[in-house]
């Protein structure tokens, strides 16, 4: 196979000359091709077949034990000026990065097949979608890309029609952490990734393209690429709302996107449009609309059970690739929090002992599954026009300070609320877990340019749009002194979404505080919940002293951005700080 797109053909020829694969294979995205790749990987031992009766077409991949998460310290944004990448990114000069990567890629595909994977992020017929081509030497990556993106023939046709595409070159190399780099060249719409097979480092359509490169591209084209789930909520009366929500990795985006209404909410319907990434565009009528660029989920497995996320639990019973979960004695996948079965082998394939200290499944073990398997899948995920947003929610994992929910005064204040997001770190990235760090808009690991310019871009939207969504902040993770969660979370989060929707519709009043609008306890529906008045008060109050500290910590963080910090954002911070003085 070849292509009529000259720049694509030339790039493939150059990469092949550099990496020297034994064979080049164009991927068409067909069922047959996927089945063939699976057979090949079963033969090579890259995949193990799971219990065929109970988990049909499900496979386990055990990664190299040193390759289980995103590697933020090895991820770079390569722009001519360091200031363009900003203090939020590791930076390398593009020429230095290219030289370094060239040496790594030199001859790295000898004895391997080079796969050419054209893909489209977003519905193939949507003006909001963008295409890319990933060249990789990993069959596991190709199979995952087929589940996660619209991959193959239709994407290539669009590339040939349109011309432009993002170039992504990937090799698993030697899987050596000392020879591992994820480089982004936003000005050239290009990615080079070497030495890792882990999703966020290797499925280049996801974090590398749909967030880092796309955020950069979005700035120059007037849209936003965000780390957000997209959910559709329908009331019993048939009123529909679409909400986008940004939470840091492993903070429950997938759970919220697939929420099952609690018993008291019979008649409410919640459908998933996306669970990780949203691209936001202003339409011709001035309305902010969103698409999910992905077509599958790469979700955290531990904690997924019939009780916590029945939709996810059901969708991963068949046609799923599991990575780094444990195994039961009869070849079923197992993980902490599954709520059934017993592990016999841990994620490394070692027999499990009764006195084990470590979890049997890796805390960042993952499922890869096509979105259409989700019982709550919304067909709107395929709508080229996307969905109009009613609300944008930011949130983090905070033991204290942040109340259950509050609403920003207006868009500009909402940008401050997003820029001030902080969260405890999780296993989705290598490094210490449970430390609070600033994670503006949940984009700390994913914004492809200087955060100060990114906030400036957010602040440009009132001038671009006629109708913007309201902005809120939530925190499902408040704890008491003994470490008990104050809010039940999961399905009951719909109660909070209902207040948010009522605010969007102007149906409910709110208490004005220095940090934004909060619900009066009586306005948050807690009927049928075992939650006392003191706990509710704690969830819905603003501790001024704690907030003064929080605002000064945000101010200190902003100082890292020096003169580039937008004045409007500094003014918003000042407004909140002065409200907290009295
Ligand atoms: C993810 C992440 O995999 O955010 O979605 O790490
Ligand atoms: Mn994510």
């Amino acid at each position: 196979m070849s292509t009529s797109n000259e720049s694509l053909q030339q790039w493939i020829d150059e990469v092949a000359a550099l990496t020297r694969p034994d064979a080049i294979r164009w991927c068409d995205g067909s069922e047959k091709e996927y089945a063939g790749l699976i057979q090949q990987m079963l033969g090579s031992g890259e995949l193990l077949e799971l219990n065929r009766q109970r988990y049909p077409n499900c496979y386990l991949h055990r990664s190299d034990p040193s390759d289980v998460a995103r590697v933020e310290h090895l991820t770079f944004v390569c722009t001519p000026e360091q200031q363009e990448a900003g203090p939020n990114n590791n930076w390398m000069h593009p020429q230095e990065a290219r030289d370094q990567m060239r040496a790594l890629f030199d001859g790295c595909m000898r004895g391997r097949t080079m796969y050419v994977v054209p893909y489209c992020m977003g519905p193939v017929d949507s003006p909001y979608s963008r295409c890319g081509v990933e060249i990789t030497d990993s069959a596991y990556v190709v199979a995952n890309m087929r589940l996660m993106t619209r991959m193959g023939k239709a994407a290539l046709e669009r590339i040939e029609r349109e011309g432009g595409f993002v170039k992504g070159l990937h090799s698993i190399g030697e899987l050596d952490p000392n020879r591992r780099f994820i480089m982004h060249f936003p000005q050239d719409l290009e990615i080079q990734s070497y030495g890792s097979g882990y999703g966020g480092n290797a499925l280049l359509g996801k974090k590398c393209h749909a967030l880092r490169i796309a955020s950069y591209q979005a700035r120059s084209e007037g849209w936003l690429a965000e780390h957000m789930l997209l959910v559709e909520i329908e009331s019993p009366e048939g009123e529909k709302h679409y909400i986008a929500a940004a939470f840091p990795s492993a903070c429950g985006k997938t759970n919220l996107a697939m929420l099952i209404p609690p018993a008291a909410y019979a008649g409410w319907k919640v459908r998933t449009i996306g669970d990780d990434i949203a691209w936001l565009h202003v339409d011709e009528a001035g309305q902010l609309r969103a698409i999910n660029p992905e077509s599958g989920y790469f979700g955290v497995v531990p904690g997924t059970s019939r009780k916590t996320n029945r939709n996810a639990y059901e969708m991963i019973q068949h046609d799923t690739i599991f990575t780094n979960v444990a195994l039961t004695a009869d070849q079923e996948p197992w993980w902490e929090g599954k709520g059934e079965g017993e592990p016999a082998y841990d994620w490394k394939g070692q027999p499990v002992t009764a006195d084990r200290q470590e979890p049997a499944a890796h805390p960042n073990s993952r499922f890869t599954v096509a979105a259409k398997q989700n019982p709550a899948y919304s067909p709107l995920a395929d709508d080229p026009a996307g969905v109009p947003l009613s609300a944008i929610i930011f949130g983090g994992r905070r033991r204290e300070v942040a109340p259950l929910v509050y609403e920003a005064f207006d868009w500009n204040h909402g940008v401050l609320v997003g820029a001030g997001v902080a969260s405890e770190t999780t296993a989705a990235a290598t490094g210490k877990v449970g430390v609070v760090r600033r994670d503006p808009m949940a984009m700390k690991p994913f914004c492809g340019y200087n955060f100060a310019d990114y906030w400036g871009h957010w602040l440009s939207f009132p001038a671009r749009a006629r109708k913007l969504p309201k902005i809120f902040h939530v925190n499902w993770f408040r704890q008491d002194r003994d470490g008990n969660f104050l809010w039940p979370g999961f399905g009951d989060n719909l109660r909070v979404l209902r207040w948010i929707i009522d605010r969007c519709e102007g149906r409910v009043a709110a208490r004005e505080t220095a940090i934004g609008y909060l619900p009066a306890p009586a306005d948050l529906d807690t009927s049928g919940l075992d939650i006392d008045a003191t706990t509710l008060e704690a969830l819905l109050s603003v501790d001024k002293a704690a907030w003064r500290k929080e605002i000064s910590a945000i101010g200190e963080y902003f100082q890292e951005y020096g003169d580039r910090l937008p004045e409007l954002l500094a003014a918003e911070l000042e407004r909140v700080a002065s409200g907290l003085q009295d």
Side-chain angles (χ1 to χ4, degrees):
M1 213 173 131
S2 63
T3 172
S4 60
N5 182 309
E6 276 175 30
S7 88
L8 173 55
Q9 190 58 54
Q10 194 187 336
W11 176 57
I12 291 168
D13 294 343
E14 278 166 18
V15 170
L18 174 67
T19 59
R20 309 220 161 267
D22 279 12
I24 299 180
R25 205 162 131 190
W26 281 83
C27 298
D28 61 12
S30 65
E31 194 70 54
K32 191 165 155 235
E33 175 182 86
Y34 180 78
L37 287 166
I38 297 288
Q39 283 314 313
Q40 176 188 320
M41 287 189 279
L42 289 171
S44 66
E46 281 164 273
L47 291 183
L48 282 177
E49 186 172 10
L50 295 172
N51 187 307
R52 203 179 277 185
Q53 276 74 44
R54 305 268 276 282
Y55 283 85
N57 303 317
C58 288
Y59 306 94
L60 167 63
H61 173 72
R62 289 193 182 119
S63 78
D64 185 280
S66 75
D67 187 31
V68 292
R70 284 183 291 99
V71 281
E72 293 179 11
H73 59 298
L74 302 175
T75 300
F76 288 77
V77 168
C78 309
T79 45
E81 299 294 328
Q82 179 160 11
Q83 273 306 309
E84 293 172 78
N88 45 304
N89 281 302
N90 300 315
W91 174 83
M92 204 182 284
H93 190 278
Q95 199 50 54
E96 189 187 340
R98 283 187 187 281
D99 291 347
Q100 195 165 316
M101 295 308 274
R102 204 177 163 78
L104 291 172
F105 280 113
D106 193 359
C108 72
M109 295 193 192
R110 279 202 183 94
R112 300 182 187 171
T113 298
M114 174 175 124
Y115 300 93
V116 180
V117 184
Y119 62 86
C120 183
M121 300 312 292
V124 177
D125 49 352
S126 170
Y128 304 141
S129 301
R130 298 287 182 274
C131 290
V133 177
E134 174 162 358
I135 295 181
T136 178
D137 55 10
S138 161
Y140 167 81
V141 165
V142 180
N144 277 270
M145 283 292 283
R146 180 168 186 275
L147 298 174
M148 296 300 298
T149 69
R150 286 129 175 125
M151 180 267 251
K153 202 163 165 286
L156 181 61
E157 281 164 9
R158 176 164 170 165
I159 290 171
E160 291 183 337
R161 264 197 321 275
E162 268 183 1
F165 64 96
V166 169
K167 290 178 183 161
L169 171 55
H170 169 255
S171 170
I172 51 171
E174 307 79 17
L175 293 173
D176 174 356
N178 297 314
R179 286 166 59 81
R180 180 173 294 161
F181 286 105
I182 327 295
M183 301 287 191
H184 301 76
F185 305 91
Q187 275 122 339
D188 302 322
L189 302 184
E190 199 174 333
I191 306 152
Q192 295 187 5
S193 166
Y194 189 89
S196 168
Y198 173 75
N201 305 327
L203 310 181
L204 301 186
K206 194 174 180 63
K207 303 301 185 180
C208 301
H209 177 164
L211 288 176
R212 296 193 192 96
I213 299 289
S215 59
Y216 184 95
Q217 193 175 21
R219 181 181 172 221
S220 55
E221 295 176 2
W223 49 283
L224 290 163
E226 297 298 325
H227 193 203
M228 290 177 175
L229 67 90
L230 273 177
V231 68
E232 170 186 351
I233 298 176
E234 184 177 345
S235 72
E237 294 75 36
E239 184 182 291
K240 288 188 183 173
H241 286 271
Y242 306 97
I243 296 179
F247 306 134
S249 309
C251 286
K253 282 203 298 299
T254 305
N255 288 345
L256 188 65
M258 298 177 191
L259 181 150
I260 308 256
Y265 278 61
W268 287 75
K269 296 194 182 79
V270 177
R271 302 186 191 95
T272 321
I273 298 170
D275 83 326
D276 194 41
I277 301 178
W279 285 356
L280 278 42
H281 286 257
V282 180
D283 71 11
E284 272 132 41
Q287 161 79 49
L288 196 65
R289 309 185 74 86
I291 61 162
N292 169 16
E294 302 189 280
S295 67
Y297 312 120
F298 179 68
V300 177
V301 188
T304 307
S305 71
R306 273 187 228 283
K307 244 174 88 189
T308 57
N309 189 338
R310 197 174 71 224
N311 288 320
Y313 194 83
E314 283 177 13
M315 80 185 173
I316 59 175
Q317 299 297 309
H318 64 99
D319 297 276
T320 300
I321 298 177
F322 290 90
T323 301
N324 291 339
V325 294
L327 263 188
T328 66
D330 49 6
Q331 301 287 108
E332 290 186 29
W334 190 90
W335 54 87
E336 277 68 24
K338 185 179 185 187
E340 54 191 55
E342 284 298 329
Y345 299 95
D346 69 11
W347 64 278
K348 293 182 190 159
Q350 299 301 318
V352 157
T353 53
D355 61 347
R356 70 180 188 278
Q357 303 291 315
E358 303 279 310
H362 189 278
N364 192 36
S365 50
R366 297 281 177 148
F367 54 73
T368 320
V369 66
K372 288 199 171 117
Q373 287 187 199
N374 172 8
Y377 176 77
S378 168
L380 290 173
D382 273 321
D383 190 331
V387 293
L389 288 181
S390 298
I392 288 177
I393 303 178
F394 293 113
R397 186 183 283 271
R398 296 297 298 269
R399 260 164 258 218
E400 42 196 24
V401 186
L404 178 62
V405 57
Y406 63 97
E407 176 192 331
F409 298 120
D410 51 32
W411 180 269
N412 288 356
H413 176 230
V415 175
L416 172 68
V417 169
V421 166
S423 192
E424 293 159 29
T425 50
T426 68
T430 47
K432 208 163 175 319
V433 167
V435 187
V436 174
R437 74 162 181 180
R438 293 281 145 209
D439 194 348
M441 279 80 172
M443 284 286 278
K444 165 71 188 74
F446 307 122
C447 183
Y449 62 104
N450 192 318
F451 258 152
D453 301 341
Y454 167 79
W455 298 322
H457 183 45
W458 265 82
L459 290 165
S460 73
F461 276 73
R464 293 175 193 275
R466 188 185 52 79
K467 190 163 180 295
L468 285 169
K470 278 181 177 285
I471 298 181
F472 297 81
H473 186 283
V474 301
N475 176 21
W476 317 132
F477 300 97
R478 275 293 284 272
Q479 292 177 15
D480 65 16
R481 277 168 210 277
D482 303 324
N484 303 308
F485 287 106
L486 299 185
W487 177 249
F490 299 105
D492 288 309
N493 291 338
L494 183 54
R495 298 167 187 269
V496 175
L497 298 185
R498 184 184 188 178
W499 183 79
I500 287 175
I501 289 169
D502 284 345
R503 286 295 294 166
C504 294
E505 288 290 333
R507 282 193 291 246
V508 65
R511 288 189 298 151
E512 184 168 343
T513 75
I515 65 161
Y517 300 114
L518 268 78
D523 287 332
L524 189 74
D525 175 19
T526 53
S527 54
L529 278 188
D530 183 18
I531 191 163
D532 58 39
T534 325
T535 307
L536 195 57
E537 185 52 41
L539 280 165
L540 297 178
S541 59
V542 177
D543 175 342
K544 280 197 170 178
W547 269 95
R548 275 195 290 268
K549 271 200 204 147
E550 181 73 8
I551 291 297
S552 101
I554 296 173
E556 244 169 68
Y557 172 67
F558 282 173
Q559 277 174 16
E560 289 176 32
Y561 295 87
D563 292 350
R564 245 171 145 114
L565 189 78
E567 270 172 32
L568 270 179
L569 197 61
E572 286 300 325
L573 189 74
E574 197 39 54
R575 166 154 80 134
V576 177
S578 63
L580 286 163
Q581 284 322 316
D582 37 288

